Amino acid sequence: AQSVSQHNHHVILSEAASLELGCNYSYGGTVNLFWYVQYPGQHLQLLLKYFSGDPLVKGIKGFEAEFIKSKFSFNLRKPSVQWSDTAEYFCAVNGWATDSWGKLQFGAGTQVVVTP
Amino acid sequence: EAEVAQSPRYKITEKSQAVAFWCDPISGHATLYWYRQILGQGPELLVQFQDESVVDDSQLPKDRFSAERLKGVDSTLKIQPAELGDSAMYLCASSLLWAGSSYEQYFGPGTRLTVT
């Protein structure tokens, strides 16, 4: 069975600092990878996704993620965070298998707090 | 912008009572998902519908949970009887096709269930 591991449960940083959130998955086959974000009081929404092609993916609000197949990783980055980036971030993986119908497996999430 | 609708937003019920949640996906979305999110964890898929058919309910506790999508549009998730451990956020999501395609999942605001 596939699993998703997010390295940090809580991250606190100051505005303008750089952010990197780790995500590793366990699945040997073809995968599709996602980062979702949940701002306080809002729905889960998609930040970015990787299906194929360039392993460096750019998403909304200045976020990017890099897929490193050899490391089974899909880390999220933002060079300079803003107070409005305070949110919970979820990594999700969809591994292709005959019995999975492409269902999403989520990590436990990382709560990011950006201080002014 | 079209959104996934869920009701109620909050539900408090006593254990052993029945409870039901409703979801209306984005118009035209063939795939509908019900997730459960326990505090401090990522969403976990309970059931996935393709039109009116269940394609994955492997994580649905079928002794007490049931889900239906009779006309392939809106859906109801029921718990009977509710147990204390069912306290969680119940999320509904929809997509044009399943997550393995290029279509992302759109999430609703969720129903927060508290069982006393």
Side-chain angles (χ1 to χ4, degrees):
Chain A
Q2 59 194 32
S3 66
V4 180
S5 175
Q6 292 186 236
H7 303 168
N8 307 94
H9 290 297
H10 294 93
V11 172
I12 302 174
L13 60 167
S14 302
E15 277 190 311
S18 64
L19 173 69
E20 180 160 359
L21 302 181
C23 174
N24 286 90
Y25 63 92
S26 64
Y27 189 77
T30 301
V31 291
N32 299 322
L33 300 156
F34 307 79
W35 275 98
Y36 280 83
V37 62
Q38 188 166 25
Y39 298 103
Q42 296 188 26
H43 310 178
L44 267 172
Q45 57 185 281
L46 185 68
L47 260 184
L48 47 78
K49 62 186 178 186
Y50 171 81
F51 279 76
S52 64
D54 189 343
L56 185 61
V57 179
K58 295 192 184 300
I60 61 172
K61 305 189 180 186
F63 284 90
E64 65 178 30
E66 185 176 12
F67 170 49
I68 303 180
K69 188 174 181 180
S70 61
K71 295 185 178 181
F72 298 91
S73 70
F74 189 56
N75 292 351
L76 181 71
R77 298 193 291 255
K78 185 171 184 178
S80 177
V81 295
Q82 300 173 316
W83 177 79
S84 58
D85 293 320
T86 293
E88 189 156 21
Y89 294 81
F90 293 92
C91 180
V93 175
N94 157 233
W96 281 101
T98 55
D99 63 344
S100 74
W101 277 85
K103 74 180 186 183
L104 279 180
Q105 183 80 34
F106 282 85
T110 298
Q111 181 66 51
V112 174
V113 175
V114 180
T115 60
Chain B
E1 182 177 309
E3 294 187 341
V4 175
Q6 288 188 249
S7 67
R9 294 290 306 275
Y10 303 91
K11 180 70 177 178
I12 300 174
T13 191
E14 295 181 347
K15 66 178 183 179
S16 79
Q17 296 298 305
V19 63
F21 314 130
W22 176 81
C23 172
D24 191 13
I26 293 171
S27 177
H29 281 194
T31 310
L32 185 147
Y33 313 80
W34 282 103
Y35 290 86
R36 176 171 60 186
Q37 185 177 15
I38 296 169
L39 197 62
Q41 299 181 22
E44 175 193 28
L45 182 69
L46 291 175
V47 61
Q48 176 180 342
F49 290 91
Q50 186 70 24
D51 299 308
E52 67 276 6
S53 300
V54 173
V55 296
D56 189 339
D57 63 358
S58 56
Q59 300 303 310
L60 189 71
K62 299 182 189 62
D63 56 335
R64 298 183 300 107
F65 286 64
S66 64
E68 61 183 16
R69 193 183 183 198
L70 292 175
K71 297 182 179 179
V73 181
D74 59 337
S75 175
T76 302
L77 178 70
K78 296 179 182 176
I79 308 175
Q80 182 173 18
E83 296 181 354
L84 294 177
D86 296 331
S87 294
M89 177 74 84
Y90 290 83
L91 297 169
C92 180
S94 71
S95 67
L96 278 170
L97 290 175
W98 60 90
S101 68
S102 60
Y103 299 110
E104 68 178 87
Q105 292 185 28
Y106 293 83
F107 284 82
T111 296
R112 181 164 296 284
L113 173 67
T114 302
V115 181
T116 62

